[in-house]
Amino acid sequence: MTVTLARRGVSCVAELLDEDAPRTCEAVWNALPQGDAVQHAKYARNEVYTMVPRFADPEPGQENPTVTPIPGDIVYFSFDSGMLDRSFKEDKGIDHLPGVIDLALFYGRNNLLLNGDVGWVPGNVFATVVENLPAMAEACNDVWRSGNVGERLLYERLER
């Protein structure tokens, strides 16, 4: 799978972790391509993510969970509508959805999935970056420094 910051023109290649997260990998693979406006984490630290409408039926449930993702981890989160702050949902244009999927790329160290409102937020690690993480990390950090306006985070199939 490729993960791309479209406006910045930077991509990396990720390998699906089929043995560790088979349900999540299948759900994501079958739903690709996915992507939308990129966001940079406020609390988790070195994370860029996009939120998309739910696509798995049924939801994969928890597998290969973490609250301490490492550089290169790609993580799937499923959030019910009630878990997200109203103003956040309105700002992201997702307030009409019953829930969303957060597809996140962690590009640096010392991440902690702890939300001040709800506590620990474990996610399913379903892929790991195997090519071009340094360039992607630099571009992700630029999202933090320069802003996310007009940028999209895209997840697409890479068939070799």
Side-chain angles (χ1 to χ4, degrees):
M1 166 176 80
T2 61
V3 183
T4 303
L5 285 168
R7 197 179 96 218
R8 286 170 172 82
V10 179
S11 294
C12 60
V13 175
E15 179 180 299
L16 296 178
L17 301 175
D18 291 306
E19 291 185 15
D20 298 320
R23 297 184 311 272
T24 306
C25 288
E26 181 179 15
V28 172
W29 183 256
N30 290 336
L32 292 177
Q34 289 291 327
D36 207 339
V38 70
Q39 306 295 322
H40 195 287
K42 289 182 182 179
Y43 306 109
R45 195 157 174 159
N46 301 299
E47 171 195 7
V48 292
Y49 64 95
T50 191
M51 292 192 159
V52 298
R54 286 188 165 158
F55 51 75
D57 185 24
E59 280 291 316
Q62 197 171 66
E63 62 180 354
N64 200 32
T66 191
V67 293
T68 56
I70 62 173
D73 278 351
I74 300 180
V75 183
Y76 173 104
F77 301 90
S78 180
F79 294 118
D80 292 326
S81 179
M83 186 171 176
L84 302 173
D85 177 80
R86 180 183 51 82
S87 61
F88 176 85
K89 292 187 294 188
E90 289 172 354
D91 180 57
K92 307 297 180 253
I94 59 173
D95 50 318
H96 64 286
L97 299 174
V100 293
I101 300 304
D102 172 336
L103 296 173
L105 166 63
F106 290 85
Y107 65 89
R109 297 174 40 126
N110 302 320
N111 303 295
L112 189 61
L113 302 179
L114 181 60
N115 179 294
D117 295 328
V118 297
W120 296 106
V121 184
N124 295 353
V125 180
F126 72 94
T128 188
V129 176
V130 294
E131 292 179 25
N132 210 32
L133 183 58
M136 190 66 166
E138 185 176 326
C140 291
N141 196 49
D142 187 59
V143 170
W144 173 253
R145 287 190 332 266
S146 302
N148 64 341
V149 175
E151 183 63 271
R152 294 173 47 82
L153 183 63
L154 308 174
Y155 294 82
E156 299 170 298
R157 287 184 180 195
L158 174 63
E159 305 203 34
R160 292 185 175 180

